[in-house]
Amino acid sequence: MGSGGREHAICWKVAQSPLVRELYAAPGNPGMAELAECVPWDGNVRGLAEWALREGIELTLVGPEGPLVEGIADAFLEKGLKIFGPTQQAAMIEGSKAFAKGLMTRFGIPTARHQSFSDVLDALAYLEAVGAPIVVKDSGLAAGKGVTVATSLQQAKQAVTNILSGPERAEIVIEEFLSGSEVTVLAVTDGVTIKPLLPSQDHKRLLDGDTGPMTGGMGAICPYPLAPGLMTEIVERVLKPLVDGLRAEGIVYKGVIYAGLMLTDDGPKVLEFNARFGDPECQAILPLLETDLVELALAVVEGRLHELEIRWREQASACVVMAAPGYPDDPHKGLPLSLPQLPPEQVLYFQAGTRRGPQGLVTNGGRVLNVVGLGRDLREALERAYTGVAAVRFEHALYRRDIGRKVI
């Protein structure tokens, strides 16, 4: 389910499984259409569940967060259908940052000091008291763009006013600014067993040197070199308390947990939880996964994840996002796009904001293409990724030239 680069990567990986006889994508994109039959979908979760029941669909994998927060898993489970993704209640770890912060406090999960507000004046008064730098977050879903890292009080106040002055009743979280290295740890869980995937690092800012506006993510590298013992600490102090705490409150979480972490001098602290694969981290992680993704999803859904060993290729990967000019505010659509044929063991192209026009492939969104390089190490993976970028015909494409540089 979905139509972005993350979903193309999931579709590509699922298509390799010997267990799969028929594969559908709802609504899909031109890249996914080469692997699966695309099904028109208007976003109605109950309608899709009814279609899946009629078609005898035996497993559904959900890419984006929106349908999860709307209750797609609940709609499928009510009909006895297997779905890889958390229920609506469980997905609120992403659907509401205020809810997620409440869980972290209750379960003793390390995170930044924070306060939630729905009143503008209260929030502005709090900012005056704490000062800058400070982080302001839209509590609801914002496609990765609802965060302002404010270096001045004026910038913070503007962010608060922008979110809380809208017509809808909004909520914000204001939290302390944390410094350190940012890392993403994804894990799969069946509500009891937790298995972390390889750590990765996203690049959220639009421009080189981590400057410019926040985006959904401009690239990722995998694996991120964590210090020895740190993954065990993250599982024990972050992931396990979350899964066990939710279960104790009657919420069995099945699917992917995304932990966005800051590696501070005081240890790892949670920046955010998400209820699905990261985008673009997924596009960097899945090419390194040796285990059958369908087997993995079934083990999660059927509550037998403890039986499965997750195996990885001894490689590194780097994903570079190519975005349309004007992204993130006003991306240009309809620009021609041409993809070369490069060795798939070295370079992969996952399509995101594309559509098939009369003359061929054209842009149809902000983040258009994910170019993934694979290599023996990160240096070779990056070299191949940027070779792949240079070979694409896409005029005025926006992309960062420093993905992975901090790790190198």
Side-chain angles (χ1 to χ4, degrees):
M1 280 187 56
S3 59
R6 162 183 52 209
E7 289 76 34
H8 187 179
I10 293 169
C11 196
W12 168 84
K13 192 68 185 170
V14 165
Q16 295 167 19
S17 171
L19 298 173
V20 174
R21 295 189 312 275
E22 289 177 58
L23 182 56
Y24 298 87
N29 66 33
M32 295 163 80
E34 294 173 14
L35 302 161
E37 183 181 328
C38 289
V39 180
W41 182 49
D42 60 2
N44 181 320
V45 296
R46 300 214 166 273
L48 194 64
E50 283 162 15
W51 173 86
L53 187 64
R54 279 198 312 273
E55 291 292 326
I57 300 295
E58 292 169 302
L59 178 66
T60 300
L61 294 94
V62 186
E65 62 278 9
L68 290 167
V69 171
E70 280 180 43
I72 186 80
D74 308 68
F76 272 62
L77 291 168
E78 280 165 19
K79 296 188 181 301
L81 296 165
K82 291 179 181 177
I83 186 162
F84 179 69
T87 60
Q88 185 173 35
Q89 217 179 354
M92 289 310 287
I93 64 164
E94 178 167 10
S96 166
K97 290 181 180 66
F99 173 80
K101 285 288 186 183
L103 293 181
M104 292 181 224
T105 302
R106 286 205 303 286
F107 304 155
I109 296 169
T111 188
R113 290 191 303 274
H114 59 277
Q115 291 272 7
S116 299
F117 298 92
S118 51
D119 181 87
V120 178
L121 296 178
D122 289 348
L124 294 177
Y126 179 76
L127 285 177
E128 286 288 354
V130 297
I134 196 85
V135 180
V136 179
K137 295 180 174 180
D138 187 335
S139 182
L141 295 182
K145 291 175 268 195
V147 177
T148 300
V149 180
T151 52
S152 70
L153 208 50
Q154 182 55 40
Q155 191 186 3
K157 286 179 175 178
Q158 188 63 58
V160 165
T161 308
N162 288 350
I163 299 167
L164 291 183
S165 298
E168 295 173 20
R169 181 166 170 74
E171 188 175 24
I172 60 167
V173 174
I174 299 176
E175 63 181 43
E176 72 171 314
F177 172 78
L178 297 176
S179 56
S181 292
E182 212 172 314
V183 62
T184 301
V185 172
L186 295 170
V188 288
T189 179
D190 58 7
V192 179
T193 303
I194 302 162
K195 301 226 169 182
L197 306 182
L198 290 178
S200 58
Q201 186 175 60
D202 184 12
H203 298 64
K204 290 189 169 67
R205 298 277 189 175
L206 180 69
L207 305 173
D208 288 3
D210 290 327
T211 58
M214 285 293 221
T215 70
M218 293 301 292
I221 55 115
C222 183
Y224 179 86
L226 284 180
L230 199 51
M231 183 59 94
T232 304
E233 185 183 347
I234 290 164
V235 171
E236 291 300 321
R237 294 187 62 206
V238 174
L239 299 173
K240 205 167 179 310
L242 177 68
V243 172
D244 292 351
L246 284 171
R247 195 174 68 250
E249 295 187 0
I251 302 170
V252 179
Y253 192 110
K254 291 189 175 189
V256 177
I257 294 173
Y258 172 121
L261 303 160
M262 187 69 83
L263 305 180
T264 74
D265 292 341
D266 301 324
K269 292 191 177 183
V270 176
L271 296 171
E272 63 175 347
F273 281 131
N274 292 327
R276 36 69 192 180
F277 282 115
D279 183 348
E281 293 98 331
C282 178
Q283 294 89 301
I285 293 169
L286 288 188
L288 302 182
L289 178 66
E290 206 166 76
T291 300
D292 185 325
L293 181 58
V294 176
E295 277 187 29
L296 181 57
L298 285 171
V300 165
V301 170
E302 294 167 2
R304 48 178 184 82
L305 186 57
H306 62 281
E307 296 174 4
L308 194 74
E309 183 196 349
I310 300 180
R311 299 177 313 280
W312 298 96
R313 293 192 170 88
E314 290 290 323
Q315 283 186 300
S317 70
C319 171
V320 179
V321 172
M322 299 182 76
Y327 178 75
D329 298 324
D330 186 23
H332 298 195
K333 295 184 179 180
L335 302 175
L337 187 68
S338 173
L339 306 184
Q341 291 292 321
L342 293 177
E345 66 277 4
Q346 295 184 11
V347 180
L348 296 164
Y349 291 104
F350 295 125
Q351 295 181 38
T354 64
R355 69 176 172 82
R356 185 74 59 189
Q359 309 300 317
L361 215 52
V362 296
T363 62
N364 193 42
R367 293 187 295 172
V368 173
L369 199 58
N370 302 267
V371 186
V372 179
L374 301 169
R376 288 163 306 196
D377 53 26
L378 183 57
R379 201 177 287 277
E380 185 174 63
L382 283 163
E383 203 175 286
R384 287 174 173 174
Y386 281 108
T387 297
V389 167
V392 175
R393 190 172 66 80
F394 178 9
E395 284 189 23
H396 310 299
L398 290 177
Y399 63 92
R400 283 183 55 164
R401 289 158 176 80
D402 66 344
I403 300 300
R405 190 174 292 169
K406 279 185 291 189
V407 171
I408 291 282

